[in-house]
Amino acid sequence: NAGVTQTPKFRVLKTGQSMTLLCAQDMNHEYMYWYRQDPGMGLRLIHYSVGEGTTAKGEVPDGYNVSRLKKQNFLLGLESAAPSQTSVYFCASNHRDRGLTDTQYFGPGTRLTVL
Amino acid sequence: AQSVSQHNHHVILSEAASLELGCNYSYGGTVNLFWYVQYPGQHLQLLLKYFSGDPLVKGIKGFEAEFIKSKFSFNLRKPSVQWSDTAEYFCAVNAYYSGNTPLVFGKGTRLSVIA
């Protein structure tokens, strides 16, 4: 199993550009998450999904949109990138057995720079 | 909403020294507690977790943590660190309100182990 994979690994955007980050998992997990990691801030939850076709806001959702059209994929979109969105983005997933309390499996991260 | 405090931003230890990393959370009700670790260039992975039962939890690689409800703490310990323990360590908590809430992470503690 590949586990949780993220595409792309690195990206540089100009202010105002849009892009989509793709997260894919092959573990048949129901729950998926998008976090951002900033120096000295830890991980902060952007959006999450408890199943195909459902999404919910996390702690820092502004400026981001998500979609979960297929169980194995969770997309994070930036419609108009801003320098404040420069960060490392992590995707994670877990099985539904213990829901939001279950062990999460993380992807390798996407390093995004917005100029 | 719950919050998690990790008091040490960066800890530097010599090999074979003992380790204790502090973690305090703000919620007074039922909680689930986690320690995740991020080795340089690798994914975040679970170190150990506490749901209920024995408040002393043992994890991988010789780590343990003790849940002290009266102190709202879940400190991570290891009797003798190795150079390979160099990593960033994150404490995280779920709280139970009328249902479980998403995981909230602390800001992380960077551990550097020197020879």
Side-chain angles (χ1 to χ4, degrees), chain A residues 35-87:
Chain A
Y35 294 92
R36 60 177 290 173
Q37 183 182 25
D38 302 293
M41 297 295 292
L43 277 82
R44 292 181 292 169
L45 183 64
I46 305 171
H47 287 279
Y48 64 102
S49 168
V50 300
E52 186 178 326
T54 70
T55 64
K57 292 180 180 180
E59 181 186 355
V60 289
D62 294 342
Y64 305 95
N65 56 75
V66 288
S67 65
R68 184 96 181 268
L69 299 179
K70 294 183 178 181
K71 185 178 183 179
Q72 63 268 35
N73 295 338
F74 195 29
L75 278 63
L76 178 70
L78 286 75
E79 289 186 351
S80 179
S84 60
Q85 294 178 304
T86 293
S87 187

Side-chain angles (χ1 to χ4, degrees), chain A residues 94-104, chain B residues 34 36 49:
Chain A
N94 65 263
H95 199 53
R96 71 177 177 186
D97 282 356
R98 296 191 68 98
L100 293 171
T101 71
D102 206 354
T103 301
Q104 294 182 21
Chain B
F34 304 78
Y36 281 85
K49 60 186 176 184

Side-chain angles (χ1 to χ4, degrees), chain A residues 37 42-43, chain B residues 6 34-36 38 88-91 105-108:
Chain A
Q37 183 182 25
L43 277 82
Chain B
Q6 292 183 245
F34 304 78
W35 277 97
Y36 281 85
Q38 186 177 26
E88 189 149 19
Y89 293 81
F90 295 94
C91 182
F105 284 84
K107 294 183 178 181

